[in-house]
């Protein structure tokens, strides 16, 4: 992601791959385990409700998932006609993503690399997805410029980050003095900050939505999160997700 509280995370044939050691908390097993939890399933469902119509409308043929995580969290939103290339900074996680892609029977591959220096030629992809990655890179502006570089003219993209005005940030602040995982070291974005850094990197912002309108607490099942969501204002949701376009140079 893509990655979250205690797990986070993308080689494709013929592309450069560099092995990068991920922080201890960003491990494939803990990542997959988190997404099997009620909270992880509720998170996935909420984000998918935003992504699904956007990806369907774009009808991508060659898509990039930057910061993919080992389970390719949103791979099933892409149609069978789409080839998916994925990249993650962790070799372990990229290897897991590659295996997952094969198990899904998807066309594509995963590689290890940095979103700030992507191992792909310019203007390659007609769709770019990056969820829960920007918060954990040293230079978000550089990462977004790289994503724009590899996007084809008029390509669409979806960029999602954790919300600095949301309940997840509040929980993170409370837990930061007692935790050292990567989740507590990243930098979340407000809507205004995300829009600004996207525009500075040359993206045209077309729509911004919130998702994950519940706190990162343990509840018995995803339905409990849907009940809690009714009481949470949209701007306190955990995620900010922007639909953008590369536009003309």
């Amino acid at each position: 992601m893509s990655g979250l509280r205690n797990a986070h995370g993308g080689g494709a044939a013929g592309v450069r791959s560099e092995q990068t050691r991920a922080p201890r908390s960003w491990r494939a097993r803990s990542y997959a385990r988190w997404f099997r939890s009620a909270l992880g399933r509720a998170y996935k469902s909420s984000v998918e409700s935003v992504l699904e119509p956007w990806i369907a409308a774009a009808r991508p043929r060659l898509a990039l998932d930057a910061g993919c995580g080992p389970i390719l969290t949103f791979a099933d939103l892409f149609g069978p006609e789409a080839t998916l290339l994925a990249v993650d900074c962790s070799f372990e996680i990229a290897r897991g993503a590659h295996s997952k892609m094969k198990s899904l029977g998807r066309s594509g591959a995963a590689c290890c690399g940095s979103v700030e220096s992507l191992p792909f030629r310019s203007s390659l992809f007609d769709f770019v997805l990056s969820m829960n990655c920007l918060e954990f890179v040293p230079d978000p502006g550089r990462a977004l410029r790289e994503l724009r570089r590899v996007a084809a003219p008029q390509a669409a993209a979806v960029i999602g980050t954790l919300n600095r005005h949301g309940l997840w940030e509040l929980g993170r602040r409370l837990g930061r003095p007692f935790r050292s995982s990567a989740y507590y070291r990243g930098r979340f974005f407000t809507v205004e900050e995300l829009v600004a850094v996207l525009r500075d990197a040359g993206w045209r912002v077309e729509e911004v939505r919130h998702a994950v309108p519940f706190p990162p607490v343990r509840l018995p099942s995803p339905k409990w999160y849907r009940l809690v969501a009714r009481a949470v204002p949209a701007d306190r949701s955990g995620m900010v997700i922007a639909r953008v376009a590369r536009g003309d140079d």
Side-chain angles (χ1 to χ4, degrees):
M1 65 156 207
S2 309
L4 297 167
R5 295 188 66 189
N6 295 314
H8 191 291
V15 301
R16 177 174 57 83
S17 173
E18 63 181 65
Q19 189 165 350
T20 308
R21 185 173 182 180
R24 285 181 301 172
S25 61
W26 294 2
R27 295 305 193 200
R29 288 182 181 178
S30 59
Y31 189 106
R33 185 169 57 249
W34 189 89
F35 272 97
R36 288 194 299 268
S37 71
L39 178 58
R41 286 180 284 142
Y43 161 87
K44 184 175 186 291
S45 176
S46 180
V47 173
E48 283 181 337
S49 69
V50 176
L51 298 186
E52 186 170 18
W54 289 351
I55 294 175
R59 297 181 180 179
R61 306 291 296 186
L62 181 59
L64 170 66
D65 186 348
C68 60
I71 64 171
L72 296 174
T73 313
F74 304 108
D76 53 354
L77 298 181
F78 293 89
E81 72 283 356
T83 296
L84 182 62
L85 296 182
V87 63
D88 201 282
C89 66
S90 161
F91 178 79
E92 177 192 351
I93 286 177
R95 181 173 57 186
H98 193 73
S99 297
K100 180 69 173 181
M101 197 174 299
K102 296 303 180 185
S103 72
L104 293 173
R106 288 215 63 95
S107 173
C111 70
C112 179
S114 169
V115 71
E116 295 174 280
S117 183
L118 291 166
F120 306 110
R121 65 174 173 83
S122 298
S123 303
L124 180 61
F125 299 96
D126 61 4
F127 189 86
V128 172
L129 176 68
S130 184
M131 301 297 296
N132 297 120
C133 175
L134 205 63
E135 305 96 308
F136 305 101
V137 298
D139 189 339
R142 178 177 175 180
L144 289 171
R145 289 191 294 273
E146 264 296 273
L147 292 174
R148 187 177 184 276
R149 178 186 67 78
V150 301
Q154 303 305 319
V158 176
I159 310 295
T161 73
L162 289 152
N163 178 16
R164 195 154 67 87
H165 284 167
L167 295 176
W168 289 56
E169 171 69 352
L170 176 60
R172 191 173 71 136
R173 289 180 183 177
L174 294 174
R176 186 180 289 145
F178 313 102
R179 307 292 292 272
S180 61
S181 69
Y183 173 82
Y184 293 91
R185 297 198 303 271
R187 186 187 186 282
F188 294 4
F189 287 76
T190 67
V191 171
E192 295 77 14
E193 288 168 343
L194 181 59
V195 168
V197 73
L198 283 164
R199 287 176 173 166
D200 286 347
W203 291 99
R204 184 175 71 247
V205 179
E206 299 190 330
E207 186 176 0
V208 179
R209 295 274 304 277
H210 288 93
V212 193
F214 43 78
V217 296
R218 292 183 180 181
L219 295 175
S221 70
K223 71 177 182 180
W224 286 92
Y225 292 98
R226 292 192 291 271
L227 292 172
V228 170
R230 298 175 183 176
V232 176
D235 61 357
R236 293 294 180 260
S237 296
M239 288 288 295
V240 176
I241 309 174
R243 178 171 62 87
V244 300
R246 183 180 185 274
D248 296 326
D249 290 316

